[in-house]
Amino acid sequence: MADQEHIEIDTLLDMPAPGRSRTGRAASLARLLHQDCTYLLELYRERESLLSDHTPAGDRIVSLSLSSPDLSSDEQVQLLHSALRKCLGLLECLILREEEEMGELEGEYETVRKGVRDRLGHLLHSTKVLLETEEDVTPDHQCNEEVDGVVGTFGAKMWTYRVLLELIHWANSASQTLHVLHSEREGREEI
Amino acid sequence: MPSLFFCILLLGLGVTESQASGLAPPQQVRLDADKETQTLSVTWEDGHASTFDVEILRTELMEMVLNETVGVTEDQSTGKHQWNWTSPVPLECTSLSVKVRSRDGQDVSEWSSQQILPGLDLPDNTDSQMYPEGKTVPVGSNMTFCCIVEEGQQFGSLWYKDTLVKENMLSRRTYATTMTNQGPSNPSGTNVVCSNEKKMIIAGAVVFVGYPPLPSDLVCETHDLISVDCQWSKGRDTYLFGMTRQTYYTLNGRNCPKARNSNMRCGLEQWDGNWTLVARNLLGEFRLTDAAELGHRVRPVAPVNLTTPEVYSWNASVGWLWKDKGFERLSLICQVQRTSHLNSSTQTYTGYGLNTVVLKDLQPDEKYSVKVRCGSQKNFWKWGEWSLPLSFQTKMDRPVAPDIWLWMDSDNLGRVLWKPLTKSESHGQISGYEVILWSPEENSQQTLTLPRSVYSLPINVTDRGSKVTVTARNPAGVSLPANIVIPRYLPGKNGGKRVVIPRHLPDAEDTAISKVAFNGSGFPLSWVAHANASCGYVVDWYNTSCTQDCNVEWIKVAADNTNTMVQSGNFLAGVRYKFSLYACSSESTVLLERWHGYMQELVPSRTVPRLSPNQEGADVQLTWDQIPLEHQRGFILGYTVYLTNASHLTLLANITDPQLTNHTVRNLVLGSYKFTVKAYTAAGEDGGATVSISLEPYTYWLIMEILVALGTMTCLLIVITIACYRKRKWVKKAFYPEIPEPKLPGDWGITQGTLDVKPSPHSMVHIVEDSVWDSSKEALVTVPEEDEEGTGDEAADTDEPASLRYYNQVVEEGSSSQRRPHASDSSASSTGSMDSGHTDVTYTGIQTSACSLAPMAHFQPQPDASQCVGGGGYRPQMQSASCPEEPQTGPEEHLQPPVGSFGGYQPQCSWKQDSPEADGDGLDQTCLGSPTSVTSSQFLLPYDTSEEGKEYPSSASTWFHNLLTGKP
């Protein structure tokens, strides 16, 4: 099911589309990614028996600010693209660590996790197309325990928890930013 | 004084203990902690005793953890004592204080100096922590977890999985909980979480609870006569996953990296004869061993390169190769599985280095798929793997003879039928059929070639004893002929049985037809063996309701069988099939028995036709026709008759005889009825035919009643007539007395006889309608009908003048106002008499005349009224002078008011309106001067004052109505 959806998205991305449609599709993609990330966190909490009101302590992992008033929409998308690259790197690292810790499992969590990775990659491609520059779409994160501050098994779980929260945050930011960009471009074309 | 004594005593005891011990306290006590195993190692010197007291406390809260006497011997090489203690609580949780003293029986030394093992809850270690972290423990073990709260934060709660657990305070910052009998973890481990008062996770640990490996069934074998392949069962799940905790296997000391998940196998390049498998994880290891000779553990690999060197119609050879040359020198047993569209079978072959076999009993023109597997014939161990399948097709052969049957549609017209050849019978694609009709009498034959899609041939069977031969042809040749002989003798008797050509016989000709039930797979038929069934029996069947070109199926049964199961894929539910059993002989076909039955009975598809009701007095007979056979869809078991009331059905009768198609519903009262008749089969009732009938009074009875009434009336009239005839004198005297002839002084020159007096227009009696005035004796008064009810005055107000009755006041002596109830009586016998002449006058036809009323009303108050004597009485002789003088045109004016006025009864002067000629007739102008007997046949009618000469038409009808209804 998820594979089929990804194939459809690939097809969508490959199709030539006017600017307005590209931003609309990217915004839709971000919205779907946000839903997937939220669901992934839900599955993670369920698997780890973590209550929803128990939140991990710690600072933001990806600290980029999109809320500066001086940033134009394109600059915001640029920042967003960078943040998403870091998120993809974190997710790749997360998958690697979990597979080391638990082996290659084939549950629903693992399926959704793979879907989020693929969709995040698609979103990176979309934002790259929107920026009309040769942006890098590769994951931007070195999977290093010392850097990540992962100490012990539980520390790795808390790091995972924070990464998932980070994914939700940036997927939501992407959805909103791209929606605004889409609205702006739509209004510009109407004028 | 006493206190001083007590102090001295205590001091003395202390001195005694110190002096008694004589033991030196342990020196250089040292603590070493193995935090992974939570083991504390205590070493000391100079303790010459072998028994020591050890005391361990939690430093911060000075809670006793252990106070135990232990036996520790001195290590001769080092001269030190060492004692190990495993703490149930992780050593990181809080600081521990340890001190030791020597003991020799009851003698103890001084305590050693207290040694402290610092915990991680010291103020300089400010972070939140939880211990132990990432441990792997067996299922069922107990563990204590401690949470060290970050400096400055408040402890909130401890959670094990999703369960809030009770904590125990070990120090200012450390809280612990103990979990007992832990269950297996999930792949990511079991979380123990510590949160602060804001429910934020401040620390946590993961514990992996599982089992050590427990594999089983290690078996090693060879597939190539060289290497070894060992397999085993994984056994109990360890619940431990990941690179660190998963189970690793070694076989004879060599790693088995491919042994993962469910693929528990490991191979070695050479046959060792003895194998040891070690399974190991963090919780332990398990060993399995196996030993065998190579020849006892041969499981050959699958043969390769299967071929079919020779393929024929009925057999073929299959060959293969061995990848390993060793099998060419091994005695082998091989299985060859062949699969066709018909079936699948396996045959076994043996041989030294076996690599080819011959497959027999194949079907011509059939596609086969074969695969081979082998094993060691000597010391057979296991079958090897199946080879890849090989497909081939056998060659064609000539078809088998068709199965033919002769079916007569009529006495002379029939059809030769044959069944299509199946795949296993045709032995190749059928190209057509050949039919030869042999006529022995004409010694001729007729050959017909038919295409392969034709399975019947119409024939005109005029030549009895002729033979029909059918052959099938395919590319490989022609089949053997199938023959059938047209019986020479048509209907007749042969051994008490009918000899017929099979045909569709009407049911009337069926002497014995019985029901047969479908048993789920077919119709089971059984019969008594017949002597002439030399070539067996034939059972044919067809749809009973079929009329022409019926689809006939048949099966042939061997002569030694007396039962069969009729099966067909063409059987349909709700269709009646007729089965006929024939005994087959070389000369004839004898019908033995017939059955009919349904594969599945359904409710009739239509209702009973021609349902009609017929009233028979108070009964209703319902009749209907039987449902046509094709609509019965089951054996009609009977009919149910219902009385339908709205949607409710009331069962009236259940007719269990299906031949009975009528029913009489008896003793019904008048009214409308609706009846529903339903036919039913074993599957239920049909929808029901409904008919309505309205029961009416019986017509003959009505006619009879009328006739009886008429007869009764006739008899009554006859009786009255006879009575009147016998009493005619009395009647005449009473109602029609003789009027004596006037005695005239002279001769009137009238001859003796009947005096025919034509009623003069003026001889009519004038009736004055006046309901008030009745004081005069000689008056006719109107009596309203309502007078009988005592409301005579109100009668004047009625709007129905026709209801007024007129009675003549008979003027008699002593009877001033006698009423006659019937007008007819009045008219027939109104009798008046005048004193002057003493003449009885009978007025049988009295008509009113207005001409005399007006003058009377006017003249009454006038002085000269004496010329018309009386107010309104009967004065026939007193009107003659005055009447002519009155204008004839003004009676209406004088008749209206006053209401109380009256008019006299003046028959002699009131005929004007009825006799137009009277205007110029002097006789009409004058009243009769003498009494006259007048007979009138006219009814007394009220006079219409508004229209001349017009009578009230309703008076006669009212009178007649009253007569019929018996009203007075």
Side-chain angles (χ1 to χ4, degrees), chain B residues 660-968:
Chain B
L660 191 60
T661 55
N662 63 74
H663 177 72
T664 301
V665 184
R666 301 187 182 282
N667 300 325
L668 296 171
V669 296
L670 297 182
S672 294
Y673 294 92
K674 192 181 284 186
F675 298 99
T676 298
V677 176
K678 297 183 177 182
Y680 61 90
T681 67
E685 295 177 331
D686 64 31
T690 301
V691 68
S692 299
I693 186 172
S694 180
L695 288 187
E696 296 175 348
Y698 203 38
T699 311
Y700 295 134
W701 283 23
L702 183 61
I703 297 172
M704 192 68 74
E705 285 177 358
I706 294 171
L707 289 176
V708 169
L710 289 173
T712 304
M713 289 182 64
T714 304
C715 292
L716 187 61
L717 288 173
I718 291 171
V719 169
I720 292 171
T721 305
I722 292 172
C724 289
Y725 179 74
R726 289 190 174 179
K727 299 290 184 181
R728 61 186 178 277
K729 290 182 180 178
W730 177 82
V731 170
K732 185 177 181 184
K733 184 178 179 182
F735 300 103
Y736 205 69
E738 287 286 340
I739 301 172
E741 290 184 5
K743 293 179 179 179
L744 301 174
D747 185 6
W748 282 28
I750 300 171
T751 57
Q752 194 70 24
T754 304
L755 176 60
D756 293 330
V757 179
K758 287 188 177 179
S760 168
H762 297 279
S763 67
M764 304 305 288
V765 177
H766 189 170
I767 299 173
V768 178
E769 186 176 333
D770 190 344
S771 59
V772 178
W773 183 82
D774 63 349
S775 60
S776 175
K777 296 178 181 178
E778 300 80 13
L780 288 173
V781 297
T782 61
V783 180
E785 191 175 19
E786 287 75 12
D787 276 356
E788 294 178 0
E789 299 174 8
T791 56
D793 292 337
E794 297 171 6
D797 295 331
T798 183
D799 293 334
E800 297 179 11
S803 64
L804 295 175
R805 302 277 171 81
Y806 295 87
Y807 298 98
N808 293 337
Q809 290 285 5
V810 179
V811 181
E812 287 182 295
E813 285 294 331
S815 176
S816 61
S817 62
Q818 184 180 353
R819 295 178 179 175
R820 300 295 169 96
H822 294 285
S824 58
D825 294 343
S826 300
S827 62
S829 59
S830 294
T831 304
S833 65
M834 293 295 292
D835 292 341
S836 60
H838 298 282
T839 302
D840 292 332
V841 180
T842 301
Y843 300 95
T844 57
I846 302 172
Q847 295 196 356
T848 57
S849 177
C851 69
S852 60
L853 287 173
M856 289 302 292
H858 286 283
F859 289 155
Q860 186 177 13
Q862 293 176 4
D864 55 349
S866 59
Q867 294 178 1
C868 289
V869 181
Y874 180 33
R875 311 177 193 87
Q877 284 83 13
M878 297 173 67
Q879 303 291 328
S880 58
S882 58
C883 286
E885 294 175 8
E886 288 300 313
Q888 299 299 319
T889 58
E892 295 85 351
E893 300 170 6
H894 305 292
L895 270 174
Q896 297 298 325
V899 176
S901 66
F902 57 88
Y905 185 27
Q906 299 146 346
Q908 283 83 5
C909 61
S910 59
W911 204 252
K912 182 179 177 182
Q913 285 78 5
D914 293 336
S915 301
E917 305 88 342
D919 290 339
D921 192 345
L923 184 60
D924 297 334
Q925 299 293 326
T926 59
C927 299
L928 289 175
S930 61
T932 304
S933 176
V934 177
T935 300
S936 173
S937 62
Q938 297 181 27
F939 293 113
L940 289 173
L941 299 174
Y943 178 68
D944 188 348
T945 57
S946 62
E947 295 183 44
E948 286 189 29
K950 191 171 183 179
E951 300 173 357
Y952 273 117
S954 61
S955 299
S957 62
T958 303
W959 178 86
F960 186 68
H961 175 74
N962 290 338
L963 175 66
L964 290 178
T965 55
K967 290 184 179 179

Side-chain angles (χ1 to χ4, degrees), chain A residues 46-51 53-58 99-105 151-158 161, chain B residues 133-134 157 159 161-162 186-193 195 199-201 203-206 208 241-245:
Chain A
E46 184 181 331
R47 189 188 79 179
E48 298 299 334
S49 303
L50 295 172
L51 302 178
D53 54 355
H54 282 166
T55 54
E99 286 184 349
E100 281 181 4
E101 194 70 21
M102 294 179 290
E104 294 181 6
L105 303 175
V151 178
T153 310
F154 190 79
K157 288 189 176 184
M158 286 302 100
Y161 198 164
Chain B
E133 157 65 343
S157 55
W159 295 78
K161 289 186 181 174
D162 53 356
N186 60 25
S188 68
T190 302
N191 296 326
V192 187
V193 175
S195 64
K199 289 193 173 180
M200 285 189 66
I201 299 172
V206 181
F208 297 91
F241 303 86
M243 294 179 64
T244 309
R245 288 170 292 277

